[in-house]
């Protein structure tokens, strides 16, 4: 099982391990590569949830990244891999810092709630199921890009699932699964009715 890490720790590692004006996917991967897929999925979901997710095309890039990472989880791969072209994608470091500073008080409060429990939902086999759910959520992101703020629903589900994996908290994984079911239902409703 991967090392436990909290939400604030993910934000701090993203910032500490990336320098320069541009924050690239490669730098984020370097920060979390040895800690499993949970922090990488969480980092991708946070990019969508923060104001950076409002930049046209970002939800689609985030979806591709989530699908690639989650697919590797499903296949049982231990270390993450992304194509070099995708690793060079990024956004302004200043935008992340501004958003991080606003969200940090919230992440500190959330971190208090995360603890190891219901660990049957964070075993390696359960992580594969989480990978499938993340893929389904990521597939809804590009079509939802046309509806303002709708991409937040799959991003919240992915973030909860990732936080559950990072903190070895099966209760959070269950909550993320419920949000995912609601997200899929809402996506079908918005797109087809």
């Amino acid at each position: 099982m991967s090392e436990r890490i909290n939400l604030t720790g993910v934000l701090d590692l993203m910032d500490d391990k990336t320098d320069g004006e541009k924050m690239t996917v490669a730098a984020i991967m370097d920060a979390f590569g040895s800690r499993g897929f949970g922090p990488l999925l969480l980092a991708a979901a946070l990019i969508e949830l923060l104001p950076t997710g409002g930049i046209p095309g970002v939800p689609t890039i985030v979806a591709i990244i989530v699908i690639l990472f989650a697919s590797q989880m499903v296949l049982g791969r231990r270390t993450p891999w992304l194509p070099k072209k995708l690793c060079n994608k990024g956004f302004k470091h200043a935008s992340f810092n501004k958003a991080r500073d606003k969200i940090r008080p919230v992440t500190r409060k959330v971190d208090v709630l995360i603890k190891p429990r219901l660990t049957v939902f964070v075993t390696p086999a359960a992580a594969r199921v989480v990978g499938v759910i993340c893929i389904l959520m990521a597939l809804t992101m590009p079509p939802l890009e046309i509806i303002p703020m709708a991409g937040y629903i799959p991003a919240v589900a992915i973030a909860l699932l990732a936080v559950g994996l990072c903190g070895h908290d099966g209760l959070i994984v269950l909550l993320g699964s419920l949000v995912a079911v609601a997200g899929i239902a809402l996506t079908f409703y918005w797109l087809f009715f």
Side-chain angles (χ1 to χ4, degrees), residues 25-168:
V25 172
I28 294 169
M29 278 184 61
D30 287 343
F32 300 118
S34 65
R35 299 173 190 265
F37 289 95
L40 291 168
L41 289 171
L42 181 56
L46 287 174
I47 291 168
E48 174 64 22
L49 290 170
L50 296 173
T52 51
I55 300 169
V58 167
T60 301
I61 292 170
V62 167
I64 292 167
I65 291 168
V66 168
I67 289 169
L68 286 171
F69 286 145
S71 298
Q72 292 173 56
M73 282 175 59
V74 171
L75 295 173
R77 189 173 166 93
R78 295 255 183 228
T79 56
W81 172 87
L82 280 179
K84 190 171 188 131
K85 189 173 184 176
L86 201 52
C87 285
N88 293 330
K89 297 286 185 191
F91 50 89
K92 291 182 181 176
H93 201 149
S95 300
F96 172 78
N97 287 339
K98 185 189 280 186
R100 183 209 56 221
D101 292 342
K102 287 182 182 178
I103 198 171
R104 183 175 272 136
V106 175
T107 63
R108 286 188 177 134
K109 290 176 184 173
V110 171
D111 286 341
V112 174
L113 303 173
I114 301 168
K115 57 187 170 193
R117 57 187 158 193
L118 298 176
T119 55
V120 70
F121 295 110
V122 292
T123 63
R128 290 179 177 201
V129 174
V130 167
V132 170
I133 296 169
C134 287
I135 291 168
L136 292 173
M137 289 292 85
L139 289 172
T140 67
M141 290 171 116
L144 289 178
E145 195 170 348
I146 60 172
I147 302 169
M149 310 286 280
Y152 284 0
I153 296 168
V156 166
I158 293 166
L160 286 169
L161 292 164
V163 165
L165 289 177
C166 292
H168 301 177

Side-chain angles (χ1 to χ4, degrees), residues 172-193:
I172 303 292
V173 169
L174 284 175
L175 181 60
S177 300
L178 291 173
V179 172
V181 169
I184 289 173
L186 284 172
T187 299
F188 275 99
Y189 177 78
W190 284 331
L191 295 177
F192 299 112
F193 296 104

